[in-house]
Amino acid sequence: MSHYPVTNIILHSPAYTSLLLENSRRNEFKKGIDALEGRRRRTETTISLRKNKKDEGIAKRRAMMTTPSSSMPTASMHDDTKNNVDSSSSSPSSKIYTVADIPSLKMTLSQPNINDATLLDTVRGFRKILSVEHNPPVTEVLASGVLPAFVQMLQLNDKPKIQFEAAWALTNIASTDETKAIVDAGAVPYFSQLLSSPDPEVREQCAWCLGNIAGDSAPLRDVVLSSGAMQPLLQNIAQPATTSLFNNCIWALSNFCRAKPQPNLSFVSPCVPTLAQILRSDSADSSAKTDALWALSYISDGDDDRIQTVIDSGILDVLIAQLGEESNLATPALRTVGNIVSGSDDQTQAVLDAGLMNQMQTLLNSPKRMIRKEACWVLSNIGKSFDDTSCMYCIP
């Protein structure tokens, strides 16, 4: 095997010099000591970062759904806070609903033979109540016992407006601590089916909700994956009706791959080629590529089979190129690279052959502390992989 050239030239990098002087801290991350222990400790140092990203993503999505200036198609076409319930509505509703309206809305919903217009107004009322940006009254809505009715509305395939409003209400519940209530109500299979709905806005809202559910915890993520949601989600990414649908599906996909214990590789490996295509795309924006990179970092964080799945996608050159981009791209790209160099010597060599070392000097001098730390972890693994005497790599 042909290794990357190694010399005794010391790196002129304060970050790496500091790493060498702090042997005890360096040893926490070196795979040569104990691969499993190194990965465990590294996970502990980054778990708060991942949690913060998840919380930020959900909060932004809730805010955008209720912000009048939002440019997202679902908000602009359906949010009747702007007196525009949908593009075909002839009598838009401007009523403001509060918690005090829950009993009357429930009573209306319980009426036998309720007509479509009343049903739409009623579920929209609940959706408005749940769409407040701060402290939505989820407990009160769930206590009213209307959750099964929302799930039943998802099955009204000839009434996409009602499906959309019900999915939106359930999405806002899913973004709180009551996510499991939606799963227990049996909504997940219907959401997965509706990823193939003829209505693109219904598809987007269902992808949004499934992303929230999958991002809640590993057990709920597995419920989503077991429902068969992956393939229709990938189809929406391959043939998106709107940019908004495309971006929301990629965000949901990243949550499909998130959390530990990790999902079975057979569930997530089909998405790797799609992630590679996103990173190679000139049309995908920074947000989409960032979520795609985080998804790759989750998939590659594990045994050699997971790492090889990423390598086999042929994405290493693009992955390395992202290391020189803005920090929101460089961070998950570097995390993925770090996962790969914690694999076998051949897998580490593949990253070196793709040109990793050309990027390391810049990463070690990054103003972002987390990027410098990740870069040091990568180098310590490379050094231990090929030379037990802590060799130095010459960085161009």
Side-chain angles (χ1 to χ4, degrees), residues 260-348:
K260 291 187 175 181
Q262 293 166 301
N264 190 294
L265 184 58
S266 64
F267 279 134
V268 296
S269 59
C271 77
V272 175
T274 297
L275 295 170
Q277 291 172 7
I278 293 167
L279 294 179
R280 292 188 182 279
S281 171
D282 293 329
S283 60
D285 61 21
S286 175
S287 174
K289 290 186 177 182
T290 298
D291 285 327
L293 286 166
W294 277 114
L296 284 175
S297 78
Y298 303 144
I299 294 170
S300 61
D301 186 8
D303 59 29
D304 290 356
D305 288 341
R306 293 179 181 274
I307 293 171
Q308 195 61 43
T309 298
V310 174
I311 294 175
D312 289 344
S313 71
I315 199 62
L316 288 184
D317 59 328
V318 179
L319 194 63
I320 298 302
Q322 303 305 316
L323 298 176
E325 298 296 328
E326 54 195 282
S327 61
N328 66 317
L329 293 171
T331 299
L334 185 57
R335 183 73 53 81
T336 306
V337 168
N339 291 336
I340 294 173
V341 299
S342 70
S344 68
D345 286 356
D346 287 343
Q347 291 169 334
T348 301

Coordinates of all heavy atoms in Angstrom, one line a residue, residues 260-348:
K260 N -28.1 8.1 18.3 CA -27.6 6.8 18.6 C -28.5 6.2 19.7 O -29.1 6.9 20.5 CB -26.2 7.0 19.2 CG -25.2 7.4 18.1 CD -23.8 7.4 18.7 CE -22.7 7.7 17.6 NZ -21.4 7.7 18.1
P261 N -28.6 4.9 19.7 CA -27.9 3.9 18.7 C -28.3 4.2 17.3 O -29.4 4.6 17.0 CB -28.4 2.6 19.2 CG -29.5 2.8 20.1 CD -29.4 4.1 20.6
Q262 N -27.3 4.0 16.4 CA -27.5 4.4 15.0 C -28.6 3.5 14.3 O -28.8 2.4 14.7 CB -26.2 4.3 14.3 CG -25.2 5.4 14.7 CD -23.8 5.1 14.2 OE1 -23.2 4.0 14.5 NE2 -23.2 6.0 13.5
P263 N -29.2 4.0 13.3 CA -30.1 3.2 12.5 C -29.4 2.1 11.8 O -28.2 2.2 11.5 CB -30.7 4.2 11.5 CG -29.7 5.3 11.4 CD -29.1 5.4 12.7
N264 N -30.1 1.0 11.5 CA -29.5 -0.1 10.8 C -29.0 0.5 9.4 O -29.7 1.2 8.8 CB -30.6 -1.2 10.5 CG -30.0 -2.4 9.9 OD1 -29.5 -2.4 8.8 ND2 -30.0 -3.5 10.7
L265 N -27.8 0.0 9.0 CA -27.2 0.5 7.8 C -28.1 0.3 6.6 O -28.1 1.1 5.7 CB -25.8 -0.1 7.6 CG -25.0 0.4 6.4 CD1 -24.8 1.9 6.5 CD2 -23.7 -0.3 6.4
S266 N -28.8 -0.8 6.6 CA -29.7 -1.1 5.5 C -30.8 0.0 5.3 O -31.3 0.2 4.2 CB -30.3 -2.5 5.6 OG -31.2 -2.5 6.7
F267 N -31.2 0.7 6.4 CA -32.2 1.7 6.3 C -31.6 3.0 5.6 O -32.3 3.7 4.9 CB -32.7 2.0 7.7 CG -33.8 1.1 8.2 CD1 -33.7 0.6 9.5 CD2 -34.8 0.7 7.3 CE1 -34.7 -0.3 9.9 CE2 -35.8 -0.2 7.8 CZ -35.7 -0.7 9.1
V268 N -30.4 3.3 6.0 CA -29.8 4.6 5.5 C -28.9 4.6 4.4 O -28.7 5.6 3.7 CB -29.2 5.3 6.7 CG1 -30.2 5.6 7.8 CG2 -28.0 4.5 7.3
S269 N -28.3 3.4 4.1 CA -27.4 3.3 3.0 C -28.0 3.7 1.6 O -27.3 4.3 0.8 CB -26.8 1.9 2.9 OG -27.7 0.9 2.7
P270 N -29.3 3.5 1.4 CA -29.8 3.9 0.1 C -29.8 5.4 -0.2 O -29.9 5.9 -1.3 CB -31.3 3.4 0.1 CG -31.3 2.3 1.1 CD -30.3 2.7 2.1
C271 N -29.6 6.2 0.9 CA -29.6 7.7 0.7 C -28.3 8.2 0.4 O -28.2 9.4 0.0 CB -30.2 8.4 1.9 SG -29.1 8.5 3.4
V272 N -27.2 7.5 0.5 CA -25.9 8.0 0.3 C -25.6 8.5 -1.1 O -25.1 9.6 -1.3 CB -24.8 6.9 0.8 CG1 -23.4 7.5 0.4 CG2 -24.9 6.6 2.3
P273 N -26.0 7.7 -2.1 CA -25.9 8.3 -3.5 C -26.6 9.6 -3.7 O -26.1 10.5 -4.4 CB -26.5 7.2 -4.4 CG -26.3 5.9 -3.6 CD -26.5 6.4 -2.2
T274 N -27.8 9.8 -3.1 CA -28.5 11.0 -3.2 C -27.8 12.1 -2.5 O -27.7 13.3 -3.0 CB -29.9 10.8 -2.5 OG1 -30.7 9.9 -3.3 CG2 -30.7 12.2 -2.5
L275 N -27.2 11.9 -1.3 CA -26.4 12.9 -0.6 C -25.2 13.3 -1.5 O -24.9 14.5 -1.5 CB -26.0 12.3 0.7 CG -27.1 12.0 1.7 CD1 -26.5 11.3 2.9 CD2 -27.8 13.3 2.2
A276 N -24.6 12.3 -2.1 CA -23.5 12.7 -3.0 C -23.9 13.6 -4.1 O -23.2 14.5 -4.5 CB -22.8 11.4 -3.5
Q277 N -25.1 13.3 -4.7 CA -25.6 14.1 -5.8 C -25.8 15.5 -5.4 O -25.6 16.5 -6.1 CB -26.8 13.5 -6.4 CG -26.6 12.2 -7.2 CD -27.9 11.5 -7.6 OE1 -29.0 12.0 -7.4 NE2 -27.8 10.3 -8.1
I278 N -26.4 15.7 -4.1 CA -26.7 17.0 -3.6 C -25.4 17.8 -3.5 O -25.3 19.0 -3.9 CB -27.4 16.9 -2.2 CG1 -28.7 16.3 -2.4 CG2 -27.4 18.3 -1.6 CD1 -29.4 15.8 -1.1
L279 N -24.3 17.2 -3.0 CA -23.1 17.9 -2.8 C -22.4 18.2 -4.1 O -21.7 19.2 -4.2 CB -22.1 17.0 -1.9 CG -22.5 16.8 -0.5 CD1 -21.5 15.9 0.2 CD2 -22.7 18.2 0.2
R280 N -22.7 17.5 -5.1 CA -22.1 17.8 -6.5 C -23.0 18.8 -7.3 O -22.5 19.3 -8.3 CB -21.9 16.5 -7.3 CG -20.9 15.5 -6.7 CD -20.6 14.4 -7.7 NE -19.6 13.4 -7.1 CZ -18.3 13.6 -7.2 NH1 -17.8 14.7 -7.7 NH2 -17.5 12.7 -6.6
S281 N -24.2 19.0 -6.8 CA -25.1 19.8 -7.5 C -24.7 21.3 -7.5 O -24.3 21.8 -6.4 CB -26.5 19.7 -7.0 OG -27.4 20.6 -7.5
D282 N -24.9 22.0 -8.6 CA -24.6 23.5 -8.6 C -25.9 24.2 -8.2 O -25.8 25.4 -7.8 CB -24.2 23.9 -10.0 CG -22.9 23.4 -10.4 OD1 -22.0 23.2 -9.6 OD2 -22.7 23.1 -11.7
S283 N -27.0 23.5 -8.2 CA -28.3 24.2 -7.9 C -28.6 24.2 -6.4 O -29.4 25.0 -5.9 CB -29.4 23.6 -8.7 OG -29.6 22.3 -8.4
A284 N -28.1 23.2 -5.7 CA -28.4 23.1 -4.2 C -27.7 24.2 -3.5 O -26.6 24.5 -3.7 CB -27.9 21.7 -3.7
D285 N -28.5 24.8 -2.6 CA -27.9 25.9 -1.8 C -27.1 25.5 -0.6 O -27.0 24.3 -0.4 CB -29.0 26.9 -1.4 CG -30.1 26.3 -0.5 OD1 -29.8 25.3 0.1 OD2 -31.2 26.9 -0.4
S286 N -26.6 26.4 0.1 CA -25.7 26.1 1.2 C -26.4 25.4 2.3 O -25.9 24.4 2.9 CB -25.1 27.4 1.8 OG -24.3 27.2 2.9
S287 N -27.7 25.7 2.5 CA -28.5 25.1 3.6 C -28.7 23.6 3.2 O -28.5 22.7 4.1 CB -29.8 25.7 3.7 OG -30.7 25.0 4.6
A288 N -29.0 23.3 2.0 CA -29.2 21.9 1.6 C -27.9 21.1 1.7 O -27.9 20.0 2.2 CB -29.7 21.9 0.1
K289 N -26.8 21.7 1.3 CA -25.5 21.0 1.3 C -25.1 20.8 2.8 O -24.5 19.8 3.1 CB -24.5 21.8 0.6 CG -24.7 21.7 -1.0 CD -23.6 22.4 -1.7 CE -23.8 22.2 -3.2 NZ -22.7 22.8 -4.0
T290 N -25.4 21.8 3.6 CA -25.0 21.6 5.1 C -25.8 20.4 5.7 O -25.2 19.6 6.4 CB -25.4 22.9 5.8 OG1 -24.6 24.0 5.3 CG2 -25.1 22.7 7.3
D291 N -27.1 20.3 5.4 CA -27.8 19.2 5.9 C -27.4 17.9 5.3 O -27.3 16.8 6.0 CB -29.3 19.4 5.6 CG -30.0 20.4 6.6 OD1 -29.5 20.5 7.7 OD2 -30.9 21.1 6.1
A292 N -27.0 17.9 4.1 CA -26.5 16.7 3.4 C -25.2 16.2 4.1 O -24.9 15.0 4.3 CB -26.3 16.9 1.9
L293 N -24.3 17.2 4.4 CA -23.0 16.9 5.1 C -23.3 16.3 6.5 O -22.6 15.4 6.9 CB -22.2 18.1 5.1 CG -21.5 18.5 3.7 CD1 -20.9 19.9 3.8 CD2 -20.4 17.5 3.4
W294 N -24.2 16.9 7.2 CA -24.5 16.4 8.5 C -25.0 14.9 8.4 O -24.6 14.1 9.2 CB -25.5 17.2 9.2 CG -24.9 18.4 9.9 CD1 -25.1 19.7 9.5 CD2 -24.0 18.5 11.0 NE1 -24.4 20.6 10.4 CE2 -23.7 19.8 11.3 CE3 -23.4 17.5 11.8 CZ2 -22.8 20.2 12.3 CZ3 -22.5 17.8 12.8 CH2 -22.2 19.2 13.0
A295 N -25.8 14.7 7.4 CA -26.3 13.3 7.2 C -25.2 12.3 7.0 O -25.1 11.2 7.6 CB -27.3 13.2 6.1
L296 N -24.2 12.7 6.2 CA -23.0 11.9 5.9 C -22.2 11.7 7.2 O -21.7 10.6 7.4 CB -22.2 12.5 4.8 CG -22.7 12.4 3.4 CD1 -21.7 13.1 2.5 CD2 -22.7 10.9 3.0
S297 N -22.1 12.7 8.0 CA -21.4 12.6 9.2 C -22.0 11.6 10.2 O -21.4 10.8 10.9 CB -21.2 13.9 9.9 OG -22.4 14.3 10.6
Y298 N -23.4 11.5 10.2 CA -24.1 10.6 11.1 C -23.9 9.2 10.5 O -23.7 8.2 11.3 CB -25.6 10.9 11.1 CG -25.9 12.3 11.6 CD1 -27.0 13.0 11.1 CD2 -25.1 12.9 12.6 CE1 -27.3 14.3 11.5 CE2 -25.4 14.2 13.0 CZ -26.5 14.9 12.5 OH -26.8 16.2 12.9
I299 N -24.0 9.0 9.2 CA -23.9 7.7 8.6 C -22.5 7.1 8.8 O -22.3 5.9 9.1 CB -24.2 7.7 7.1 CG1 -25.7 8.1 7.0 CG2 -23.9 6.4 6.5 CD1 -26.1 8.4 5.5
S300 N -21.5 7.9 8.7 CA -20.1 7.5 8.7 C -19.5 7.3 10.2 O -18.4 6.8 10.4 CB -19.1 8.4 8.0 OG -19.2 9.7 8.6
D301 N -20.3 7.7 11.1 CA -19.9 7.6 12.5 C -20.2 6.2 13.1 O -21.2 6.0 13.7 CB -20.6 8.7 13.3 CG -20.1 8.8 14.8 OD1 -19.0 8.1 15.1 OD2 -20.6 9.5 15.6
G302 N -19.3 5.3 12.8 CA -19.5 3.9 13.3 C -18.4 3.0 12.8 O -17.3 3.4 12.6
D303 N -18.8 1.8 12.5 CA -17.9 0.8 12.1 C -17.4 1.0 10.7 O -17.8 1.9 9.9 CB -18.4 -0.6 12.3 CG -19.7 -0.9 11.5 OD1 -19.9 -0.3 10.4 OD2 -20.6 -1.7 11.9
D304 N -16.4 0.1 10.2 CA -15.8 0.3 8.9 C -16.8 0.1 7.8 O -16.7 0.7 6.7 CB -14.7 -0.8 8.8 CG -13.5 -0.4 9.6 OD1 -13.5 0.7 10.3 OD2 -12.5 -1.2 9.7
D305 N -17.9 -0.7 8.0 CA -18.9 -0.9 6.9 C -19.6 0.4 6.6 O -19.9 0.8 5.5 CB -19.9 -1.9 7.3 CG -19.3 -3.4 7.3 OD1 -18.3 -3.5 6.6 OD2 -19.9 -4.3 7.9
R306 N -19.9 1.2 7.7 CA -20.6 2.5 7.5 C -19.6 3.5 6.8 O -20.0 4.2 5.9 CB -21.0 3.1 8.9 CG -22.1 2.3 9.5 CD -22.5 2.8 10.9 NE -23.5 2.0 11.5 CZ -24.8 2.2 11.3 NH1 -25.2 3.1 10.5 NH2 -25.7 1.4 11.9
I307 N -18.4 3.5 7.2 CA -17.4 4.3 6.6 C -17.2 4.0 5.1 O -17.2 4.8 4.2 CB -16.0 4.2 7.3 CG1 -16.2 4.8 8.7 CG2 -14.9 4.9 6.5 CD1 -15.0 4.6 9.6
Q308 N -17.2 2.7 4.8 CA -17.0 2.2 3.4 C -18.2 2.6 2.5 O -18.0 2.9 1.3 CB -16.7 0.7 3.4 CG -16.2 0.2 2.0 CD -14.8 0.9 1.7 OE1 -14.0 1.0 2.6 NE2 -14.6 1.3 0.5
T309 N -19.3 2.6 3.1 CA -20.5 3.1 2.3 C -20.4 4.5 1.8 O -20.7 4.8 0.7 CB -21.8 2.9 3.2 OG1 -22.0 1.6 3.6 CG2 -23.0 3.4 2.5
V310 N -19.8 5.3 2.7 CA -19.6 6.7 2.2 C -18.5 6.8 1.2 O -18.6 7.5 0.2 CB -19.2 7.6 3.4 CG1 -18.9 9.0 3.0 CG2 -20.4 7.7 4.4
I311 N -17.4 6.1 1.4 CA -16.3 6.1 0.5 C -16.7 5.5 -0.9 O -16.4 6.1 -2.0 CB -15.1 5.2 1.0 CG1 -14.5 5.9 2.3 CG2 -14.0 5.0 -0.1 CD1 -13.4 5.1 2.9
D312 N -17.5 4.5 -0.9 CA -18.0 3.9 -2.2 C -18.9 4.8 -3.0 O -19.1 4.6 -4.2 CB -18.7 2.6 -1.9 CG -17.7 1.5 -1.4 OD1 -16.5 1.6 -1.6 OD2 -18.2 0.5 -0.9
S313 N -19.4 5.8 -2.4 CA -20.2 6.8 -3.1 C -19.4 7.7 -4.0 O -20.0 8.4 -4.9 CB -21.0 7.6 -2.2 OG -20.2 8.6 -1.5
G314 N -18.1 7.6 -3.9 CA -17.2 8.4 -4.7 C -17.2 9.9 -4.4 O -16.9 10.7 -5.2
I315 N -17.6 10.2 -3.1 CA -17.8 11.6 -2.8 C -16.5 12.2 -2.1 O -16.6 13.4 -1.7 CB -19.0 11.7 -1.8 CG1 -19.5 13.1 -1.8 CG2 -18.6 11.2 -0.4 CD1 -20.0 13.7 -3.1
L316 N -15.5 11.5 -1.9 CA -14.4 12.0 -1.1 C -13.8 13.3 -1.6 O -13.4 14.2 -0.9 CB -13.2 11.0 -1.0 CG -13.5 9.8 -0.1 CD1 -12.3 8.9 0.0 CD2 -14.0 10.2 1.3
D317 N -13.7 13.4 -3.0 CA -13.1 14.7 -3.5 C -13.9 15.9 -3.2 O -13.4 17.0 -2.8 CB -12.9 14.5 -5.0 CG -14.2 14.2 -5.8 OD1 -15.1 13.6 -5.2 OD2 -14.3 14.7 -6.9
V318 N -15.3 15.7 -3.3 CA -16.2 16.8 -3.0 C -16.2 17.1 -1.5 O -16.2 18.3 -1.1 CB -17.6 16.5 -3.5 CG1 -18.5 17.6 -3.1 CG2 -17.6 16.3 -5.0
L319 N -16.1 16.1 -0.7 CA -16.0 16.2 0.7 C -14.8 17.0 1.1 O -14.9 17.9 2.0 CB -16.0 14.8 1.4 CG -16.3 14.7 2.9 CD1 -17.7 15.2 3.2 CD2 -16.1 13.3 3.3
I320 N -13.7 16.7 0.6 CA -12.5 17.4 0.9 C -12.6 18.9 0.5 O -12.1 19.8 1.2 CB -11.2 16.8 0.2 CG1 -11.0 15.3 0.7 CG2 -10.0 17.6 0.5 CD1 -10.8 15.2 2.2
A321 N -13.2 19.1 -0.7 CA -13.4 20.5 -1.2 C -14.2 21.3 -0.2 O -14.0 22.5 -0.1 CB -14.0 20.5 -2.6
Q322 N -15.2 20.7 0.5 CA -16.0 21.5 1.4 C -15.2 22.0 2.6 O -15.7 22.9 3.3 CB -17.2 20.6 1.9 CG -18.1 20.1 0.8 CD -18.6 21.1 -0.1 OE1 -19.1 22.2 0.3 NE2 -18.6 20.9 -1.4
L323 N -14.1 21.4 2.9 CA -13.3 21.8 4.0 C -12.8 23.3 3.9 O -12.4 23.9 4.9 CB -12.1 20.9 4.2 CG -12.5 19.4 4.6 CD1 -11.2 18.6 4.7 CD2 -13.3 19.3 5.8
G324 N -12.7 23.7 2.6 CA -12.2 25.1 2.4 C -13.3 26.1 2.3 O -13.1 27.3 2.0
E325 N -14.6 25.7 2.5 CA -15.7 26.5 2.4 C -16.1 27.2 3.8 O -15.3 27.0 4.7 CB -16.9 25.7 1.9 CG -16.7 25.1 0.5 CD -16.5 26.2 -0.6 OE1 -17.2 27.3 -0.4 OE2 -15.8 25.9 -1.5
E326 N -17.2 27.9 3.8 CA -17.6 28.5 5.0 C -17.8 27.5 6.1 O -18.0 26.3 5.9 CB -18.9 29.3 4.7 CG -20.0 28.4 4.1 CD -21.2 29.2 3.5 OE1 -22.0 29.7 4.3 OE2 -21.2 29.4 2.3
S327 N -17.8 28.0 7.4 CA -17.8 27.1 8.5 C -19.0 26.2 8.6 O -18.8 25.0 9.1 CB -17.6 27.9 9.8 OG -18.7 28.8 10.0
N328 N -20.2 26.6 8.2 CA -21.3 25.8 8.3 C -21.2 24.5 7.4 O -21.8 23.5 7.6 CB -22.6 26.5 8.0 CG -22.7 27.0 6.5 OD1 -21.7 27.5 6.0 ND2 -23.9 26.9 5.9
L329 N -20.4 24.6 6.3 CA -20.1 23.5 5.5 C -18.9 22.7 6.0 O -18.9 21.5 6.0 CB -19.9 23.9 4.0 CG -21.1 24.5 3.3 CD1 -20.7 25.1 1.9 CD2 -22.2 23.4 3.0
A330 N -17.9 23.5 6.4 CA -16.6 22.8 6.8 C -16.8 22.0 8.0 O -16.2 20.9 8.1 CB -15.6 23.9 7.0
T331 N -17.6 22.4 8.9 CA -17.8 21.7 10.2 C -18.3 20.2 10.0 O -17.7 19.3 10.4 CB -18.7 22.4 11.2 OG1 -18.1 23.7 11.5 CG2 -18.9 21.6 12.5
P332 N -19.5 20.0 9.3 CA -19.9 18.7 9.1 C -19.0 17.9 8.2 O -18.9 16.7 8.3 CB -21.3 18.8 8.6 CG -21.4 20.2 8.0 CD -20.5 21.0 8.8
A333 N -18.4 18.6 7.2 CA -17.5 17.9 6.3 C -16.3 17.4 7.1 O -15.8 16.2 6.9 CB -17.0 18.9 5.2
L334 N -15.7 18.2 7.9 CA -14.6 17.8 8.8 C -15.0 16.6 9.7 O -14.2 15.7 10.0 CB -14.0 19.0 9.5 CG -12.8 18.7 10.4 CD1 -11.6 18.2 9.5 CD2 -12.3 20.0 11.0
R335 N -16.2 16.7 10.2 CA -16.7 15.6 11.1 C -16.7 14.3 10.4 O -16.3 13.3 10.9 CB -18.1 16.0 11.6 CG -18.7 15.0 12.6 CD -18.1 15.1 14.0 NE -18.1 16.4 14.4 CZ -19.2 17.0 15.0 NH1 -20.3 16.4 15.1 NH2 -19.1 18.3 15.5
T336 N -17.2 14.4 9.1 CA -17.2 13.1 8.3 C -15.8 12.6 8.0 O -15.6 11.4 8.1 CB -18.0 13.4 7.0 OG1 -19.3 14.0 7.3 CG2 -18.2 12.1 6.2
V337 N -14.9 13.5 7.6 CA -13.5 13.1 7.4 C -13.0 12.5 8.7 O -12.3 11.5 8.6 CB -12.7 14.3 7.0 CG1 -11.2 14.0 7.0 CG2 -13.1 14.8 5.6
G338 N -13.2 13.1 9.8 CA -12.7 12.5 11.1 C -13.3 11.1 11.3 O -12.5 10.3 11.8
N339 N -14.5 10.9 11.0 CA -15.1 9.6 11.1 C -14.3 8.6 10.2 O -14.0 7.4 10.6 CB -16.5 9.5 10.8 CG -17.4 10.3 11.8 OD1 -17.0 10.4 13.0 ND2 -18.5 10.8 11.4
I340 N -14.0 9.0 9.0 CA -13.4 8.1 8.0 C -12.0 7.7 8.4 O -11.6 6.6 8.4 CB -13.4 8.7 6.6 CG1 -14.9 8.9 6.1 CG2 -12.6 7.9 5.6 CD1 -15.0 9.6 4.8
V341 N -11.2 8.7 8.9 CA -9.8 8.4 9.3 C -9.8 7.6 10.7 O -8.7 7.2 11.1 CB -9.0 9.7 9.4 CG1 -8.9 10.4 8.1 CG2 -9.5 10.6 10.5
S342 N -10.9 7.4 11.3 CA -10.9 6.5 12.5 C -11.2 5.1 12.1 O -11.4 4.2 12.9 CB -12.0 7.0 13.5 OG -13.3 6.8 13.0
G343 N -11.3 4.8 10.7 CA -11.6 3.5 10.2 C -10.3 2.8 10.0 O -9.2 3.0 10.7
S344 N -10.3 1.9 9.0 CA -9.1 1.1 8.7 C -8.0 2.0 8.0 O -8.2 3.1 7.6 CB -9.5 0.0 7.7 OG -9.8 0.5 6.5
D345 N -6.8 1.4 7.9 CA -5.7 2.1 7.3 C -6.0 2.4 5.8 O -5.7 3.5 5.3 CB -4.4 1.3 7.4 CG -3.8 1.3 8.8 OD1 -4.3 2.0 9.7 OD2 -2.8 0.6 9.0
D346 N -6.6 1.5 5.2 CA -7.0 1.7 3.8 C -8.0 2.8 3.6 O -7.9 3.6 2.7 CB -7.6 0.4 3.1 CG -6.5 -0.6 2.9 OD1 -5.3 -0.3 2.9 OD2 -6.9 -1.8 2.7
Q347 N -8.9 2.9 4.6 CA -9.9 4.0 4.5 C -9.3 5.4 4.8 O -9.6 6.4 4.2 CB -11.1 3.7 5.5 CG -11.9 2.5 5.0 CD -12.9 2.0 6.1 OE1 -12.6 2.2 7.3 NE2 -14.0 1.4 5.7
T348 N -8.3 5.4 5.8 CA -7.6 6.6 6.0 C -6.8 7.0 4.8 O -6.8 8.2 4.4 CB -6.7 6.4 7.2 OG1 -7.4 6.0 8.4 CG2 -5.9 7.7 7.5

